[in-house]
Amino acid sequence: MSRWAPDARERLEAAALDLFVENGYEETTVAQIAERAGLNRATFFRHFTDKREVLFGGEDVLAGLFADAIAAAPDETVTGCLRAAFTAADAAMTPRQRAKAAKRVLVVAGNSELQERGLLKHARIARSVSAALRTRGADELTARLGAEVGMLAFTIAVERWMKATDDEPFSHFAAAALDDLRERAAELDSLSRFSA
Amino acid sequence: MSRWAPDARERLEAAALDLFVENGYEETTVAQIAERAGLNRATFFRHFTDKREVLFGGEDVLAGLFADAIAAAPDETVTGCLRAAFTAADAAMTPRQRAKAAKRVLVVAGNSELQERGLLKHARIARSVSAALRTRGADELTARLGAEVGMLAFTIAVERWMKATDDEPFSHFAAAALDDLRERAAELDSLSRFSA
């Protein structure tokens, strides 16, 4: 990062999201993003490989945070490992990121290529979580189920976190979503969650 | 379907998969597929919109079979609805399809664009299952969890079914995979599935 722009990455991200929403993802160029951020193209490419990376770079960070947290989780049950992963995610899911999340969702929803890319990133994080659970000793099916349930809890938590009006940590939303899903998982064979 | 080629779709699909495996997906043209099947391009386009449809057309069929079966399931628990969906899938998951499944997996695994498309189709089926469960009265989280668990059971069942050596119906594999996952779901808070 250059000495004179310690917040370059943040500024580029904010500029890119604004331009994607205003003019469309396809229509926005890297030069326009750099200009809006008051930086140059070279600085952009020091932080992102391309404009798609502005939208999905965070997913690789999350996959790494999740895997490391699961490897080090003191509570070695699957839910204990997932809670440790969610706590680690707080480093990436900051209030500043929350402000950008709605724009990001809007841009991705409007472009089927971006949606597919988002699903691929989601699948990669799930595989990373599953592999980390396997390393902790979970059998294959437990690891895959744990990863799917964990990713669904994460998705639901992001939806709720985006609507929140205070700065409650993301991990609280994720732990609550996981609890909600565990409750439902215990009832998949019963009628109690059905209104009819 | 033309009178003189009642099995045109099957022949085109088999020819396409063979060519994709032999020469690569990108390199294979619709003209080559039609020629290998002993048919013409017009017949190809009567059955498929493009060559990608040969690989993913079945997903739309499955989404419809699942949704209809869930709507009509006599057992209205989530697992009862999923079992009804799996039974309906037998219409699409025939022994003849099984013979092609390994080639299909091979082709998709070798092309990242096809992988992304596969994930998108998978996500669409999951949404269709979730919506059908909602219509049966499940609350939103139960429907989303049921859809994810159902899709994981389906994926695991496909893996096992592809390796099977007899013609046991697909739905048996799917029901067994669902039972395996329900057992694990009940134990996500315990250590019993952990070897350490």
Side-chain angles (χ1 to χ4, degrees):
Chain A
M1 205 174 287
S2 58
R3 193 176 294 267
W4 48 274
D7 58 348
R9 189 183 172 93
E10 290 279 348
R11 280 161 58 189
L12 287 163
E13 203 182 359
L17 285 170
D18 284 343
L19 286 166
F20 294 164
V21 170
E22 288 166 28
N23 304 332
Y25 171 79
E26 292 289 357
E27 291 69 21
T28 301
T29 65
V30 167
Q32 290 167 343
I33 295 168
E35 190 190 353
R36 174 75 64 104
L39 298 164
N40 58 37
R41 286 176 82 254
T43 306
F44 179 93
F45 288 115
R46 215 172 299 137
H47 292 277
F48 302 100
T49 53
D50 55 29
K51 65 180 180 173
R52 193 157 63 181
E53 190 72 13
V54 178
L55 294 166
F56 296 113
E59 265 73 359
D60 296 329
V61 174
L62 273 180
L65 287 172
F66 283 179
D68 291 349
I70 290 170
D75 171 358
E76 65 179 13
T77 64
V78 172
T79 48
C81 287
L82 291 175
R83 269 190 291 264
F86 296 149
T87 301
D90 281 339
M93 311 297 278
T94 60
R96 190 183 271 205
Q97 285 303 315
R98 196 182 64 183
K100 293 176 193 151
K103 284 180 191 165
R104 187 176 171 284
V105 167
L106 197 67
V107 173
V108 174
N111 182 307
S112 65
E113 187 217 330
L114 293 177
Q115 281 176 53
E116 295 186 21
R117 179 53 51 117
L119 288 168
L120 191 67
K121 288 279 186 173
H122 184 98
R124 282 193 185 138
I125 301 177
R127 268 204 294 275
S128 159
V129 169
S130 176
L133 290 172
R134 287 283 280 152
T135 303
R136 288 304 298 262
D139 73 17
E140 195 208 329
L141 290 198
T142 301
R144 290 170 73 175
L145 178 67
E148 290 298 333
V149 171
M151 291 305 287
L152 181 55
F154 180 80
T155 303
I156 291 165
V158 170
E159 292 164 8
R160 294 175 177 174
W161 174 71
M162 279 173 55
K163 289 181 199 147
T165 51
D166 60 18
D167 287 349
E168 192 183 339
F170 172 77
S171 55
H172 292 195
F173 291 92
L178 183 61
D179 283 345
D180 290 345
L181 290 177
R182 285 160 64 213
E183 196 182 296
R184 266 95 179 160
E187 294 172 354
L188 290 180
D189 296 328
S190 75
L191 297 170
S192 66
R193 285 283 161 188
F194 282 82
S195 52
Chain B
M1 203 176 288
S2 59
R3 191 178 292 270
W4 49 274
D7 57 349
R9 190 183 170 93
E10 290 279 350
R11 280 162 58 191
L12 288 162
E13 203 182 356
L17 286 170
D18 283 344
L19 287 166
F20 293 163
V21 170
E22 288 166 27
N23 305 331
Y25 171 79
E26 291 289 356
E27 288 71 18
T28 301
T29 66
V30 167
Q32 289 167 341
I33 294 167
E35 190 191 351
R36 173 75 66 103
L39 299 164
N40 57 37
R41 287 177 83 253
T43 307
F44 179 93
F45 288 114
R46 216 171 300 137
H47 292 278
F48 302 100
T49 53
D50 55 29
K51 64 179 181 174
R52 193 157 64 179
E53 190 71 13
V54 178
L55 294 167
F56 295 113
E59 264 73 358
D60 296 328
V61 174
L62 273 180
L65 287 171
F66 282 177
D68 291 348
I70 290 169
D75 171 358
E76 66 181 11
T77 63
V78 172
T79 49
C81 287
L82 292 175
R83 269 189 292 264
F86 295 149
T87 301
D90 281 339
M93 311 296 279
T94 59
R96 192 183 270 203
Q97 286 302 318
R98 196 183 65 183
K100 292 176 193 151
K103 285 181 192 164
R104 187 176 171 284
V105 168
L106 197 66
V107 173
V108 174
N111 182 307
S112 66
E113 187 217 328
L114 293 177
Q115 281 176 53
E116 293 185 24
R117 179 51 51 114
L119 288 168
L120 192 67
K121 289 278 184 173
H122 184 98
R124 282 192 185 138
I125 301 177
R127 269 204 293 274
S128 160
V129 169
S130 176
L133 290 172
R134 286 284 280 151
T135 304
R136 288 303 299 261
D139 73 16
E140 196 209 329
L141 290 198
T142 302
R144 289 170 74 175
L145 178 67
E148 290 298 333
V149 172
M151 291 305 288
L152 181 56
F154 181 80
T155 302
I156 291 164
V158 170
E159 293 164 7
R160 294 175 177 174
W161 173 71
M162 279 173 53
K163 289 182 200 145
T165 50
D166 60 16
D167 285 349
E168 192 182 339
F170 171 77
S171 55
H172 292 195
F173 291 93
L178 183 60
D179 283 345
D180 290 346
L181 290 177
R182 285 160 64 213
E183 195 182 298
R184 264 102 180 153
E187 295 172 353
L188 291 180
D189 296 328
S190 75
L191 296 170
S192 68
R193 287 280 162 188
F194 282 82
S195 53

